[in-house]
Amino acid sequence: MALLEQWRNMAYDEQADKNKLQQLWTKYFQKEKDIYAQLLKNPDEVVKGTVKELAEKYGVSIMTMTGFLDGIDESLVERNPIEEMEEDTVVNLGFDKALLYKNMVAAEADWLYNLEEWNDIFDEETRKALYKEQKSSTTIVKEAKVYPNDPCPCGSGKKYKKCCGKN
């Protein structure tokens, strides 16, 4: 069984004890935060290695590293083969800084997009702009409804029902 499948079976197990699952995620989020803090200190360095080597480098289990690789994958410049990944698969952590920040915002992971290390990468104005861009990209804007007696949006000056609203 590929590592990713094992991770997902463990982390998203519907039958698991809720307290154990909560503990797993609490520990995972702390480890994830620590890894991101280290990565963001040298954001232009592309960290490479096998899944096992990276787990050892960051002091986490293979399963935690698998979860991390799953989480960061959409933010990478060059995606990893996460579906077939095994311990000896070579992976990279070369991320797109703006995309990573926006994906953290999208995941509502404030413990990640508020990391102090971001201050050295983006100024406050840029972070606010990226935050706003991400939030507005998921906002649905409904166009104003045109009623029959409203002025026609085509600019003719006629009522909608007498202009473009005719069938």
Side-chain angles (χ1 to χ4, degrees):
M1 183 185 305
L3 289 175
L4 187 62
E5 191 177 345
Q6 289 176 48
W7 162 254
R8 288 179 177 166
N9 287 344
M10 179 178 72
Y12 302 104
D13 185 1
E14 299 279 327
Q15 279 75 46
D17 178 300
K18 297 289 181 230
N19 288 334
K20 285 186 180 177
L21 216 48
Q22 180 74 38
Q23 287 174 351
L24 174 124
W25 282 106
T26 301
K27 287 178 185 173
Y28 171 79
F29 289 141
Q30 185 55 53
K31 302 270 188 201
E32 177 188 47
K33 183 179 175 182
D34 295 343
I35 295 171
Y36 276 120
Q38 289 180 57
L39 283 174
L40 293 172
K41 285 179 182 163
N42 295 309
D44 297 318
E45 176 191 355
V46 177
V47 177
K48 288 186 177 186
T50 65
V51 176
K52 186 176 182 179
E53 288 167 349
L54 292 181
E56 290 168 1
K57 176 178 177 146
Y58 294 105
V60 296
S61 69
I62 300 277
M63 282 295 105
T64 298
M65 181 50 65
T66 302
F68 182 82
L69 289 164
D70 185 24
I72 197 174
D73 198 57
E74 289 183 13
S75 304
L76 298 176
V77 174
E78 185 183 318
R79 305 227 1 212
N80 290 314
I82 61 169
E83 297 293 334
E84 309 83 46
M85 199 166 53
E86 297 296 340
E87 285 185 26
D88 58 352
T89 304
V90 176
V91 292
N92 83 88
L93 299 177
F95 56 91
D96 175 309
K97 295 181 278 280
L99 184 57
L100 178 62
Y101 189 84
K102 290 195 295 189
N103 284 340
M104 288 175 171
V105 170
E108 298 182 359
D110 58 339
W111 65 94
L112 298 177
Y113 67 79
N114 285 328
L115 280 169
E116 213 174 278
E117 286 76 8
W118 282 113
N119 298 338
D120 296 331
I121 299 170
F122 297 127
D123 60 28
E124 188 176 348
E125 197 174 301
T126 305
R127 288 194 311 276
K128 282 182 179 176
L130 289 170
Y131 182 92
K132 189 175 177 182
E133 186 181 325
Q134 175 55 43
K135 288 296 186 179
S136 66
S137 73
T138 58
T139 303
I140 299 169
V141 179
K142 289 185 180 177
E143 288 189 31
K145 181 159 174 48
V146 181
Y147 293 94
N149 287 327
D150 288 347
C152 191
C154 76
S156 67
K158 296 179 182 178
K159 287 185 178 184
Y160 179 67
K161 67 183 178 186
K162 298 280 185 185
C163 190
C164 295
K166 280 185 172 178
N167 286 345

